[in-house]
Amino acid sequence: MKAFPIKRALLAGVTGTLFFDVFGLMVSAIMGNPAWWDIPALLAGKLGLPLFFGVLAHYLNGIVLAVIYAAVAPFLWGSKWMRALTYITVETVLGVWLFMAPLLGMGIAGVNGPMGTLFAVISLVRHWVYAIGLALFIPISVSLPASDAAPSAAS
């Protein structure tokens, strides 16, 4: 049995979160409002703590999502890219659109927020960019059931 890829999950979580942040900065710059670390700033503000703690919470969340992905990825279908995109799409719909956005008073998928339906699209694409880190760094090993295994030399 292979060891759980914790180091790879840590690397994937940090890298994916960095990709998420850089893409978010690019989108906000295109929209005329460059905002580096918009999510950490939001977290820090809601927690009433300095920005450092918002950044820490944001990156720890990225790591936790990567660890969960490393555990469930062998049970998903498709290529490593399809598995990462499937996982992160489900996470975005359940975690962001149906939980965080309403919790922040923006309604389901953030459609009642300042960006309207654009929030839903941008949040999904940002999370897909995060998934690049998952696909790049977390190895996928799938064990075949005994009946599907290659025939042994003895048979």
Side-chain angles (χ1 to χ4, degrees), residues 49-74:
L49 296 170
L51 180 62
F52 168 80
F53 292 102
V55 172
L56 184 63
H58 178 54
Y59 276 79
L60 286 174
N61 182 64
I63 290 168
V64 167
L65 289 174
V67 169
I68 294 168
Y69 173 73
V72 301

Side-chain angles (χ1 to χ4, degrees), residues 26-60:
M26 291 174 11
V27 168
S28 64
I30 289 168
M31 294 175 70
N33 183 24
W36 182 246
W37 280 342
D38 55 340
I39 304 299
L42 176 71
L43 288 169
K46 292 293 180 182
L47 296 171
L49 296 170
L51 180 62
F52 168 80
F53 292 102
V55 172
L56 184 63
H58 178 54
Y59 276 79
L60 286 174

Side-chain angles (χ1 to χ4, degrees), residues 127-154:
H127 284 87
W128 284 344
V129 170
Y130 165 86
I132 294 169
L134 302 179
L136 287 176
F137 295 111
I138 297 180
I140 305 299
S141 60
V142 179
S143 301
L144 293 175
S147 61
D148 293 340
S152 66

Side-chain angles (χ1 to χ4, degrees), residues 1-4 75 141 143:
M1 180 170 187
K2 283 189 162 184
F4 188 79
F75 303 102
S141 60
S143 301

Side-chain angles (χ1 to χ4, degrees), residues 112-133:
N112 298 333
M115 292 190 295
T117 55
L118 193 55
F119 174 85
V121 174
I122 291 171
S123 67
L124 181 58
V125 175
R126 281 182 83 173
H127 284 87
W128 284 344
V129 170
Y130 165 86
I132 294 169

Side-chain angles (χ1 to χ4, degrees), residues 92-93 96-121 123:
T92 302
V93 170
V96 177
W97 292 3
L98 298 177
F99 180 70
M100 287 304 297
L103 189 66
L104 294 170
M106 298 183 340
I108 293 175
V111 298
N112 298 333
M115 292 190 295
T117 55
L118 193 55
F119 174 85
V121 174
S123 67

